[in-house]
Amino acid sequence: MCVFARAEGLGFARLTPRMNPEIRVRFAPSPTGYLHVGGGRTALFNWLFARHEGGKFVLRIEDTDKARNTPEAVAVILDGLRWLGLDWDEGPGVGGDYGPYFQSEREEIYERYFQKLLEAGCLYEDNGAWRFRSQREVVTVHDIVCGSIAFDLSNPQTHPDMTIRRPDGSWIFHFVNVVDDIEMRISHVIRGEDHLSNTPKHLELFKALGVQPPAYAHIPLILNKDGSKMSKRDAGASITGYIEGGFLPGAVRNYLSLLGWSPKDNREVLELDETVRLFDLAKVNRKNAHFDLEKCLWFNTQYLQKTSPSQFHALSLPFIEKAGIAVGTPAALDPVLALVREKVKTLAEVPGWLGYFFTEEYPFDPQAVAKAFSTPVAFERLAALTRAWDTSPIWDAAALEAALKQVAADLNAKPNELLLPTRVAVSGRASGPNLFPMLEVLGRERTLSRLRHACTIHAPVTQ
RNA sequence: GACCCUAUCGUCCAGUGGCCUAGGACACUCCCCUUUCACGGGAGUAACACGGGUUCGAAUCCCGUUAGGGUCGCCA
């Protein structure tokens, strides 16, 4: 029998007091090869709580499953958290007083606690594995988010004794999780609601070990927009997807912070320090959230618009380089970026808008060509426009616009009948930045040669 | 199946017994701005799951039903 739990009728009275009044939370991911958006949100809430309370945010890697534990899989998690701006006070890379922070390196600790439970008679062997003998009680979870919930563990059929150690000596999640939370002096466990039903088991372990359990806060899950469970493949499920998709960390952080929590005053675009200031675990709601990529994109545009030109430049550059666009000097890129920045929702969309600024081999969209050059007069007009611009003493947006209007008047055409053909001729497409500023940036030489070239290749072959 | 959680516009959040003929945001529709597409400004469509209670009064409290989610592993 489990003597810790019996303790001559004193029960919880002889529990060891926690020596630290300090707030300490932890994010304890398993290195599965990707960081789930729900995990990112859990980490975020832990981090926000720690920062709000002036406590410590600990990162612990739960890599007891040796099979799929690789350095790459760990790196993905670390990179994702760093990208989101969630710095940890203790954990991989930064150390701390309660390490090591990889479960695979904490073997002796688990062995010690295992012996404790064994000596207390709380364990029994089953086919080589070790099980924890439940006290078969009603265990009540006092949860900051969910309230008090009673779980009746009395029926062994429905609540079998949990296994804590496999025949090969490796450890099971419930056990190491509890041991580490004790050893690392965790004061608040903030995790996904999928763990709520596991919590009574964890509480039994704490009781058997004679340690007062931490406070719990189970936060709602993030599901797909249709309510199904988000898996790796689903859009928006992986933090890496946001990094590669050209999202800004602040935007994703802001969006995720509002899934299950809000400042209660209808504000949505919240700076990080403001979120830290206002974050309140007790005000987290209990309803699962459905993920909406559209809204996340909207946040991204909000944050994108707040970047300075130089920030936008720096942020865009990796995506431009990845797209293989040779931009020449940074100075050549800036004016183009200034034209294009209001058109994009993500950094990944930047290259798509500026390709034709940096090559003469830009493609022509067939639909745009059909629309712009449907009639032979389009070429006459373009030719007249080309002549007028060729002799324009000044090459700036205002001059170009004035000249175009004059040409249109001379030709008895409306100005906007000249705009689309011009745009398609110089860019190959029907939409883009404001035309005249765009031509100003493009420059006289390239604009004129493109106009002539487009007339040559798109003019009717019947002439 | 058992146990647990949840239930306000399509989605995310407000709303904790009377301020609610339910508010904000995303999306959508329309209008304005615009010599493209966007941006921006304005307007609009759209919800208290259902049924019982409690109460002078319920989106708000209670019960049931239904629906969704979670857990029930020698996964984490």
Side-chain angles (χ1 to χ4, degrees), chain A residues 21-314:
Chain A
E22 229 186 314
I23 301 288
R24 293 174 57 82
V25 296
R26 47 61 164 187
F27 178 55
S30 177
T32 56
Y34 90 118
L35 179 55
H36 187 272
V37 67
R41 203 267 306 251
T42 300
L44 173 62
F45 278 22
N46 271 283
W47 185 91
L48 286 171
F49 180 72
R51 294 294 171 261
H52 178 85
E53 299 290 339
K56 293 279 195 287
F57 176 57
V58 178
L59 178 60
R60 177 173 80 223
I61 305 298
E62 306 220 329
D63 56 349
T64 54
D65 190 345
K66 289 160 190 151
R68 54 184 179 180
N69 173 25
T70 67
E72 292 76 26
V74 173
V76 168
I77 307 244
L78 267 37
D79 290 346
L81 293 175
R82 285 195 195 100
W83 183 79
L84 280 170
L86 309 181
D87 56 317
W88 50 97
D89 304 301
E90 296 174 23
V94 300
D97 295 337
Y98 303 94
Y101 293 91
F102 287 84
Q103 289 189 329
S104 56
E105 297 169 12
R106 298 172 63 79
E107 200 53 40
E108 318 87 88
I109 296 167
Y110 305 137
E111 192 66 53
R112 208 169 73 230
Y113 276 79
F114 177 79
Q115 289 304 326
K116 272 196 201 181
L117 289 177
L118 194 59
E119 285 160 22
C122 302
L123 268 27
Y124 66 94
E125 204 173 356
D126 176 21
N127 287 320
W130 288 90
R131 288 183 183 273
F132 174 83
R133 182 176 283 108
S134 170
Q135 291 303 110
R136 301 294 158 208
E137 297 172 319
V138 173
V139 177
T140 301
V141 177
H142 300 285
D143 192 281
I144 295 168
V145 172
C146 302
S148 293
I149 304 157
F151 291 87
D152 184 354
L153 306 185
S154 61
N155 186 348
Q157 302 300 118
T158 54
H159 296 87
D161 288 333
M162 71 179 129
T163 303
I164 66 161
R165 188 174 206 179
R166 302 187 187 89
D168 68 0
S170 61
W171 308 98
I172 301 293
F173 160 73
H174 304 294
F175 177 69
V176 291
N177 189 266
V178 164
V179 168
D180 285 342
D181 284 346
I182 293 170
E183 283 286 304
M184 294 181 180
R185 307 287 191 269
I186 300 304
S187 66
H188 294 69
V189 170
I190 304 168
R191 56 178 22 166
E193 193 218 86
D194 50 339
H195 285 295
L196 184 58
S197 300
N198 289 150
T199 306
K201 295 181 196 171
H202 298 183
L203 255 16
E204 284 201 300
L205 249 15
F206 276 101
K207 184 179 179 184
L209 289 165
V211 178
Q212 179 153 9
Y216 287 95
H218 287 90
I219 64 180
L221 270 18
I222 300 176
L223 308 173
N224 283 315
K225 188 147 190 187
D226 67 3
S228 62
K229 192 171 178 174
M230 270 189 130
S231 60
K232 197 170 183 173
R233 285 281 168 208
D234 293 313
S238 162
I239 296 298
T240 307
Y242 297 95
I243 303 175
E244 293 172 350
F247 282 77
L248 295 185
V252 176
R253 178 229 94 219
N254 197 154
Y255 175 69
L256 293 181
S257 74
L258 262 18
L259 253 28
W261 175 83
S262 88
K264 309 294 183 195
D265 60 3
N266 284 340
R267 283 189 302 158
E268 297 200 305
V269 178
L270 289 171
E271 293 299 332
L272 183 58
D273 56 353
E274 187 71 346
T275 306
V276 168
R277 193 173 70 76
L278 296 170
F279 187 75
D280 182 355
L281 210 43
K283 286 183 181 160
V284 170
N285 69 35
R286 308 193 204 176
K287 195 172 78 169
N288 289 165
H290 292 196
F291 181 82
D292 184 358
L293 189 61
E294 288 294 334
K295 184 133 190 187
C296 191
L297 277 165
W298 177 79
F299 273 104
N300 207 52
T301 62
Q302 300 301 305
Y303 278 78
L304 234 25
Q305 283 171 23
K306 289 200 284 189
T307 58
S308 69
S310 65
Q311 286 172 324
F312 190 72
H313 180 117

Side-chain angles (χ1 to χ4, degrees), chain A residues 308-317 320 327 329-344 347 349-351 353-354 357-358 433 441:
Chain A
S308 69
S310 65
Q311 286 172 324
F312 190 72
H313 180 117
L315 258 11
S316 298
L317 209 52
I320 295 168
V327 299
T329 64
L333 180 58
D334 281 328
V336 177
L337 251 21
L339 291 173
V340 136
R341 60 175 291 151
E342 269 112 41
K343 313 197 75 64
V344 299
L347 295 166
E349 290 174 5
V350 171
W353 284 102
L354 48 67
F357 282 97
F358 300 102
V441 169

Side-chain angles (χ1 to χ4, degrees), chain A residues 360 385-396 399-400 403 426 438-452:
Chain A
E360 298 308 307
L385 188 59
T386 306
R387 283 191 298 276
W389 281 347
D390 197 7
T391 57
S392 173
I394 308 168
W395 190 267
D396 67 18
L400 293 168
V426 302
M438 171 178 144
L439 296 178
E440 180 180 327
V441 169
L442 208 48
R444 186 193 297 266
E445 293 307 315
R446 287 195 292 170
T447 300
L448 296 178
S449 78
R450 286 182 186 196
L451 284 170
R452 293 186 182 108

